Amino acid sequence: MRTAVLSFLVCLTVALPSAAEAKKKKPDTPDNKLSCKQISGRMQISIMELRGFNERGQSTLLSRGLQTGLAATFGNLSHGVDPQGDYEADIKKLHDYNQMLVAKGCKSYDLDAELQKKGVDDTPAPTVPAPKKPKVSATSPAH
């Protein structure tokens, strides 16, 4: 009886986050419509989440296998099944956001330095100056 209750609770714990994810109220703003401030804010949160990834203990292969099986059975999201792949995708997204900041003429981040910091209170900030805009000459060429 205890094992059945325990199994039910494990399944419920795995299934509930996907139900909450499915009830998202409004879609996020498309990336190409974000302002510099919005991109920087998203990057700050991502950087703080990703700091220390390599020092954290990762789940075992057995637990990831169980999660994959339960996800297939109950329709849960597969988030967390491949932590290294998720990390690499998040790093790629950070680099893409950083390129968007540069393209918009905003200050950007030194991602390698920001990801190496360990202080909890050390909030990431854009430190790379915005690219200089080419000066337009006041005189136009004569024809």
Side-chain angles (χ1 to χ4, degrees), residues 3-4 11-13 43 49 55 58 66 77 82 85 90 97 100 110 117 126 131-132 138 142:
T3 56
C11 292
L12 191 60
T13 304
M43 289 183 71
E49 287 175 344
E55 287 88 35
Q58 301 301 319
L66 286 172
L77 300 175
D82 179 17
D90 290 341
Y97 276 152
M100 287 174 65
D110 179 358
K117 294 179 182 176
K132 295 191 187 263

Side-chain angles (χ1 to χ4, degrees), residues 41-131:
R42 288 185 181 191
M43 289 183 71
Q44 284 178 337
I45 292 169
S46 293
I47 289 168
M48 293 179 82
E49 287 175 344
L50 295 174
R51 281 183 182 164
F53 172 81
N54 294 324
E55 287 88 35
R56 279 184 252 149
Q58 301 301 319
S59 58
T60 64
L61 190 58
L62 174 64
S63 66
R64 282 185 258 153
L66 286 172
Q67 182 179 3
T68 302
L70 289 172
T73 304
F74 295 105
N76 193 354
L77 300 175
S78 61
H79 177 74
V81 174
D82 179 17
Q84 186 64 38
D86 293 342
Y87 175 77
E88 290 169 5
D90 290 341
I91 293 294
K92 183 183 180 320
K93 186 71 170 174
L94 277 175
H95 283 285
D96 292 345
Y97 276 152
N98 217 23
Q99 288 303 316
M100 287 174 65
L101 287 174
V102 171
K104 289 180 174 264
C106 310
K107 289 175 84 172
S108 58
Y109 289 83
D110 179 358
L111 291 175
D112 293 331
E114 291 294 344
L115 289 168
Q116 297 302 318
K117 294 179 182 176
K118 301 203 189 284
V120 176
D121 295 334
D122 193 4
T123 305
T127 55
V128 178

Side-chain angles (χ1 to χ4, degrees), residues 29-35 39 42 93 97 100 104:
T29 306
D31 287 346
N32 61 351
K33 303 278 187 196
L34 295 174
S35 68
I39 296 170
R42 288 185 181 191
K93 186 71 170 174
Y97 276 152
M100 287 174 65
K104 289 180 174 264

